[in-house]
Amino acid sequence: MKFSITVTLKKDVLDPQGKVVQNTLINMGMNNLKSIRQGKHFEVEVEDKDQTLAEKKVDMMCKKLLVNLIIEDYKITKI
Amino acid sequence: MKFSITVTLKKDVLDPQGKVVQNTLINMGMNNLKSIRQGKHFEVEVEDKDQTLAEKKVDMMCKKLLVNLIIEDYKITKI
Amino acid sequence: MKITNQIIEKHGLKLEEFKIIKKLIKREPNLLELGVFSAMWNEHCSYKSSRIHLKKLPTKGKQVIQGPGENAGVIDIGDDDAIIFKIESHNHPSFIEPYQGAATGVGGILRDVFTMGARPIALLNSIHFGSPKHPKTKSLLNGVVSGIGGYGNCIGIPTVAGETKFNETYNENILVNAMAVGHAKKDKIFYSKAKGINKSVVYVGSKTGRDGIHGASMASAEFDENSEEKKPTVQVGDPFTEKLLLEACLELMKDNSIISIQDMGAAGLTSSSVEMASKGDLGIELDLEKVPCREENMTPYEMMLSESQERMLIILEDHKEKNAKKIFDKWDLDFVIIGKTTNTNNLTLKFKNKIVGEIPIEALASKAPIYDRKWSKRKPQKNEINLKKLKKIKIEDALIKILSSPNHSNKSWITDQFDQNVMCDTVQKSGSDAAIVRIHNKDKAIAVSVDSSANYCKSHPILGGKQIVCENWRNLIAVGAKPLAITNCLNFGNPENNEIMGEFAECLEGIKQACEFLNYPVVSGNVSFYNGTNKKNIYPTPVIGGVGLIKKLSKPLNHEFKKENSTLVLIGKTFGHLEQSCFLRENYSIIDGLPPEVNLLNEKNNGENLLNLIEKNYILSSHDVSSGGLITALSEMSIGSNYGVKIQKPKNLTNLMKYFFGEDQARYIIEIDTKNLPKVEKILKDNDVYYENIGFTQKDHFEIEGELKISTKDLFKINNAWYNSY
Amino acid sequence: MKSSVIVFPGSNCDRDIAVALEKMQFKNQMVWHKDTSLPKTDLIVIPGGFSYGDYLRSGAIAGKSLIIDEVIKAADEGCLVLGICNGFQILTETGLLKGTLLRNKNLKFINKDVHIKVINNQTNFSKKYKKDQILKINIAHNEGNFFTDKTHLEELTKEGLIAFKYCDEKGNVSEESNPNGSLENIAGIYNSKRNILGMMPHPERMVDELTSNKDGVNLFSSLLN
Ligand SMILES: Nc1ncnc2c1ncn2[C@@H]1O[C@H](COP(=O)(O)OP(=O)(O)O)[C@@H](O)[C@H]1O
Ligand SMILES: [Mg+2]
């Protein structure tokens, strides 16, 4: 069973990286760009039959390792 | 118009980070984990009416800056 | 909106203090004003609990250009060169988010140093963690270390020294202290004191966001029912922007545009503007609408209390705005005139053409409360350890235990993560007693070291306070530097607790005595109270950061043995003091008794004579003897080199363990060319320095005759093993 | 011999390399990334540091700056180009050198003195070194793990385009002597015309006996004549 996880910085948390990328894209002439935020993406495969159980496990991985809950939000999607 | 971009390392490129994350998760007792790959995620907002045009622009951003085509693949989704 | 008691408390103010506020401004403050008061009157900005004690520290000397009171201390190192340095804590943020907490700690202390006109040339840190066995320790440790490296490496300033300690007392409250050292020209030092009326107040650097807005945290929903919930957010460091800010500020400092400059640290815009006005004895008016904001709909309250990083406030001379703006534009940084100086002696805050807050500057600064808190003396424990009653242990096993312990293990796994060589002036990187950094383009250098001894300070705060100053002084001497001045970071528990306040007062007393005697003044520092909970406070942990001068750098001196068959001399007398020693702690888990006595006279005499020997070029390597005693110091000298030792036991030895593991102060081990021994002995004798010849260096083996013989390679392995198995 | 050091926002070894070049008697100039033309120069150096904070990918954003077009033009015309550390990363991002630099295999920043071996000593950058000479040079990077595709790797080997390999003090090129996981221990490479060198180690940090050894000196003296 495969899941995708996207991890993004919480709103209001400074995103120095996004800022630089946005400025660069605008300088490169992409002037219709309104905003860009950068985050992380994981593709996880777990060996489980039961989807709820599997999802719970993936959620645990996020909480315990993949996500810094103090500054990041995350979303899990089955793929 | 908003798009999400996921950028992943190509299959044959070594993913040192993914490997370490995978080992750590397994050491933490997540033994049903089959694989995990890490990538980047962007959320882009462009001011455009026309979806095809907008998508083209986002594609250009990827090609010109956001993605290193030698080692990375990417996927654009409208959100 | 009515200010309720709950709101007052949420701002960390006492009801008593609120009454004083009302009296000072002759009315009830509004919420914005309350926020400003809370920022200025908190412990961090006002030093309300510590001030009367800090006053006792010696802060003057021929070498001092600027003592405490400015962003950082300034000392004279001869010619037209000045060194600017300071240490600061970032304990609480680092416990919440270790990477960002440590990173922004480094960023903050760097700004303190470059606001004064210095180019930073070295970073140091003192980091204290709980027991390695505590479940939180490992991730805190890894996070803090990579945060320190992440910031320093990116901005391109070498992190050259530090200390890393583990002790259960920090289980729920780690310490992260960062020190920055910069170099400036003596006649190009910038201060925060404002001067002149109607001068432009300029905001430069990053935009303001809702970072770390403390007081309001929980109650914020109540403050503004219509707005969405605004949680305080963790400050995220942006070393890239700081690098730009550094270069832009230094560029602007080349001409005479700046009247006054101040970084926005804790309490950001509030403390920077109030401090400038207060020192200049004038008023300041800010038009908050002009503040560059990162988020939409930020309120004046949020702008004044935001702790967003990488920002500065500058007061410019007339007509210099245009040129200054050009410089900041070049570096892609915001540059906005947000206000002006006034003759009202008020902090006046405008928003959308309305005055939204107005407070007399003196109410925020000089009239802030000062407390003479109750404190109690520590009743010293007695030394009652009977060695005969302890289980017998082999000297070799005891040594191995120490060298492989987390506290004494080699820290290269940490220091390899720091760029120590960038700027190409690092002459001695971390690993020795002090780091040596050359003054760019000159043949002189400074030596720097940070030191603390929480166990000693806990047991006997006065002695402990004295000891850390001496150890720090010794570390600089050991690399051939003349110690000039210190900065200190005073990490303590809750000052409202008599005992803790007593620890504070007495540690300071000890620091004072040592600094006075050694002519080693305090030029800057920082106090961090409320470490731990009221019931469980951390051990008193003052950290001393010292700077010394090497006038003429020929070749660097460090603790590594240089060759075989040289003579080893132990300077200073060994009494065998084992109470509070690493030996008892690591081998028997005994943490009892008093720390070793500190004899300032011997300390000074031994140090000054060693410095004389070093300057005469008699010394091949030298190392101070501290935690772990003589044998630990000797093994550290071996581990760094490929040479071992052959040590003879002294003839009338009462106790082997006491001799080899005792932590008596004022001692150094020196390696000298055997042919120079007579000359060295003469100088030591002529100057009443107690010394012993303890043996020789030899190839490959670490040996104490009749007791132990280990290969130096094994010693190295033992010393390097801990982290890999952690 | 004239040299130009390109300065990006976030470059932090720019002064270091300038000092080294001047010490070696180059006539050096600093060139700001927003400039649109290069001064007349024989050597272009892209220094180490964290251009644009290493955000997105190290070197990616610097690779889009105005001056880079001029660097590419000059390189095509045969001007010598040296990219050190972040400079190497920038060169791969601009396409002047093939391959890329991934995160170090231990996912940590590494600063230490390591040994490298001179693989090709027949270039403008290396002719003062002996073949297989072992140098001790400082590294300081987070992303120094060289990676490239098979064809390029073969080309590098066959054409003698590998400049340096990580090794131990005796010269053994092995897994243990590979600090960051680089493919075949590669520490530096040339382009096919050999006028461009990208390397992770910092030769500019190795020219002053007070702070280091002098193993970097011959790289600069090779360039001088
Ligand atoms: N966090 C750190 N950052 C930089 N250097 C460190 C750090 N921790 C330890 N060190 C280095 O390790 C060496 C040993 O530290 P320590 O045992 O505290 O020395 P000493 O007892 O001489 O004060 C010193 O050179 C010190 O600079
Ligand atoms: Mg020491």
Side-chain angles (χ1 to χ4, degrees), chain C residues 701-719:
Chain C
H701 287 281
F702 186 86
E703 181 179 359
I704 293 174
E705 278 183 340
E707 287 296 332
L708 76 100
K709 188 167 179 179
I710 316 177
S711 84
T712 50
K713 286 210 179 76
D714 287 343
L715 272 189
F716 179 88
K717 275 191 211 141
I718 291 163
N719 193 224

Side-chain angles (χ1 to χ4, degrees), chain C residues 227-327:
Chain C
S227 65
E228 58 176 311
E229 198 192 359
K230 290 169 194 147
K231 281 211 208 108
T233 49
V234 170
Q235 306 157 28
V236 169
D238 181 1
F240 168 60
T241 298
E242 179 124 320
K243 167 76 175 164
L244 305 185
L245 190 60
L246 161 67
E247 297 302 337
C249 286
L250 292 181
E251 200 170 319
L252 179 61
M253 284 163 171
K254 283 191 186 135
D255 69 11
N256 299 317
S257 306
I258 297 176
I259 297 173
S260 143
I261 176 166
Q262 169 76 35
D263 72 299
M264 293 190 221
L269 202 45
T270 295
S271 70
S272 51
S273 54
V274 170
E275 234 156 89
M276 289 169 129
S278 161
K279 284 193 182 128
D281 196 20
L282 34 79
I284 202 162
E285 181 183 300
L286 301 179
D287 189 353
L288 294 173
E289 231 173 294
K290 300 203 174 120
V291 171
C293 288
R294 202 170 76 218
E295 312 293 339
E296 279 163 23
N297 302 323
M298 284 188 63
T299 62
Y301 180 94
E302 291 171 324
M303 292 180 209
M304 287 307 286
L305 294 197
S306 162
E307 299 200 336
S308 288
Q309 303 285 301
E310 292 93 21
R311 303 178 299 160
M312 295 266 197
L313 209 57
I314 302 176
I315 298 178
L316 283 178
E317 293 283 4
D318 295 336
H319 316 303
K320 298 283 188 182
E321 294 88 347
K322 224 165 133 194
N323 184 48
K325 183 166 182 343
K326 238 203 232 141
I327 294 173

Side-chain angles (χ1 to χ4, degrees), chain C residues 195-234:
Chain C
K195 256 184 281 180
I197 309 297
N198 250 329
K199 307 286 178 197
S200 297
V201 176
V202 183
Y203 172 118
V204 300
S206 284
K207 293 191 194 321
T208 299
R210 296 192 173 104
D211 312 291
I213 298 168
H214 290 303
S217 54
M218 309 302 188
S220 58
E222 295 168 24
F223 294 154
D224 188 356
E225 290 96 12
N226 303 326
S227 65
E228 58 176 311
E229 198 192 359
K230 290 169 194 147
K231 281 211 208 108
T233 49
V234 170

